[in-house]
Amino acid sequence: MQTIWFIFIAFILTMYVLLDGFDLGAGAIYPFVAKDDKERRAVQRAILPMWDGNETWLVAAGGGLFLSFPLLYSASMSGFYLAVFVVLWLLILRGVGLEMRHLLDNDLWRSFWDGVFFLGSLLLPFFFGVALANVMRGVPIGRGGKYFFQSLWTDPLHPLSKNPGILDWYTVMIGLLALCAVILHGTTYLTMKTTGGLRNSSRIFAGAFWVATVGLTALATPLTFYLLPQRLSHFESAPWGFVFPAAAIGGILTVGYALAKGRDGLSFGGSCAYIAGMMSSTAFAIYPKVLPAVDPSRSLTIYNASAPHHSLVVGLIAWGLGLLLACIYFAIIYRMFRGRVEV
């Protein structure tokens, strides 16, 4: 049952990155692809019907963690206290910026909220990538596996320090990779959803960020296994898991092919496969741990961090029904707003 919940949480988080990822990426590239107010409105019309619904998956992931792995939830909330507050403020400011822009017909007002929306969209994927890198690297969990606290950085800024901070050169590199991947996702979405000059400029930026994503992936993957060779152990004991990195490689190559051929839907599909492959690979690499520790004996696993069996069974039924309703809602919303947005 613990393994089922591990897969369930990994699936919800992957859905969040896939769905909220494209509107975060569109927001992060928004001032550069849209040349005037007309095009900026078109970018916002392409994401407005979905952006708040997409964040449902983040709420579902938090609730699911609280129900299934309460020790992980409590340790993470205290350990990443500073980072959680930064992320919450960015989520709030991004949503406020998106909604407030249209309330007053004034250039200064619109420019201010455009800037707020852009900064929130730019920094959130970076911090999510940094958080994922902290999980891969391990955190300084104390005795009993319950509490830890991470400052934003420590000295030295080395990922293998005994008392690492949230930011070091490895976590920053993964944060930049996450940012580039999300912007690539957003630009392929805009290429698929818009027309005219906005579509053309989105395609140009998609090509540039495809190169950046490929380069950072090629750099970060061998560095991860060089610094953390223990993350290869699950792949060695269960070679079928290589299907996940293979999906990521296939996805990013598909994006490059589709961008060159002008096949907008295929490039967005390839981006989805790349993100799903990278998220699945990360989950597969750390399993059965849910929060690796600097001292491996203090790591939280699906066994020592989970709720009682009865709670997991009841929660799975309730959460499964909720997830089914959410999927139906998303199918209706995306069908209603299918097609391109005219500039």
Side-chain angles (χ1 to χ4, degrees):
M1 185 53 69
Q2 288 98 333
T3 297
I4 292 174
W5 266 103
F6 181 89
I7 295 170
F8 199 48
I9 296 295
F11 170 75
I12 293 173
L13 286 173
T14 302
M15 288 300 293
Y16 170 70
V17 179
L18 285 176
L19 295 180
D20 209 31
F22 70 72
D23 63 62
L24 284 169
I29 201 69
Y30 167 71
F32 308 105
V33 294
K35 295 182 179 63
D36 52 32
D37 189 62
K38 208 173 173 183
E39 290 191 346
R40 283 192 281 275
R41 285 174 184 270
V43 172
Q44 295 209 348
R45 286 207 312 277
I47 61 175
L48 264 175
M50 299 95 171
W51 79 271
D52 49 355
N54 291 339
E55 293 186 354
T56 304
W57 294 94
L58 186 60
V59 177
L65 279 181
F66 180 71
L67 190 152
S68 57
F69 302 110
L71 191 55
L72 167 65
Y73 184 86
S74 63
S76 299
M77 287 298 112
S78 61
F80 294 123
Y81 186 80
L82 290 175
V84 168
F85 262 78
V86 170
V87 166
L88 284 176
W89 271 109
L90 289 174
L91 284 169
I92 292 168
L93 288 173
R94 180 173 180 269
V96 171
L98 194 58
E99 297 294 341
M100 294 292 283
R101 182 187 197 276
H102 310 281
L103 298 185
L104 200 63
D105 187 17
N106 178 281
D107 288 342
L108 183 60
W109 174 270
R110 284 196 296 265
S111 297
F112 174 76
W113 291 114
D114 280 348
V116 171
F117 173 61
F118 163 68
L119 279 178
S121 302
L122 183 75
L123 293 176
L124 274 170
F126 173 76
F127 274 97
F128 285 140
V130 167
L132 198 62
N134 272 264
V135 172
M136 279 292 280
R137 181 205 59 197
V139 295
I141 298 177
R143 289 183 184 279
K146 292 183 180 177
Y147 304 109
F148 69 96
F149 176 78
Q150 277 192 291
S151 53
L152 282 179
W153 59 81
T154 59
D155 186 24
L157 292 170
H158 195 282
L160 299 184
S161 164
K162 289 183 179 177
N163 184 31
I166 293 172
L167 299 173
D168 57 48
W169 65 260
Y170 173 71
T171 59
V172 169
M173 178 182 65
I174 300 298
L176 290 175
L177 170 58
L179 177 61
C180 289
V182 164
I183 291 179
L184 174 62
H185 198 45
T187 48
T188 56
Y189 176 77
L190 289 179
T191 302
M192 185 180 67
K193 287 289 290 184
T194 58
T195 59
L198 182 56
R199 175 173 172 259
N200 294 336
S201 59
S202 298
R203 183 180 291 170
I204 292 169
F205 277 97
F209 278 93
W210 179 81
V211 173
T213 304
V214 170
L216 281 169
T217 304
L219 176 67
T221 304
L223 271 176
T224 296
F225 293 123
Y226 172 74
L227 287 171
L228 309 162
Q230 64 272 30
R231 301 289 174 257
L232 267 176
S233 59
H234 197 203
F235 286 100
E236 291 167 349
S237 60
W240 63 267
F242 282 106
V243 69
F244 300 123
I249 294 170
I252 198 69
L253 292 177
T254 300
V255 175
Y257 168 80
L259 285 174
K261 297 292 180 183
R263 298 175 64 179
D264 300 338
L266 185 62
S267 66
F268 183 69
S271 177
C272 290
Y274 169 74
I275 290 174
M278 292 294 278
M279 293 291 291
S280 306
S281 300
T282 304
F284 191 83
I286 65 170
Y287 178 86
K289 296 182 178 70
V290 287
L291 187 60
V294 174
D295 178 353
S297 65
R298 296 178 183 177
S299 294
L300 297 183
T301 70
I302 60 170
Y303 305 110
N304 65 16
S306 69
H309 181 77
H310 179 71
S311 300
L312 293 179
V313 173
V314 173
L316 188 63
I317 295 170
W319 226 246
L321 288 172
L323 199 63
L324 179 63
L325 289 174
C327 289
I328 293 171
Y329 166 80
F330 278 98
I332 294 171
I333 287 292
Y334 278 85
R335 181 172 173 75
M336 283 175 64
F337 294 97
R338 67 185 184 281
R340 295 184 184 269
V341 174
E342 295 294 332
V343 177

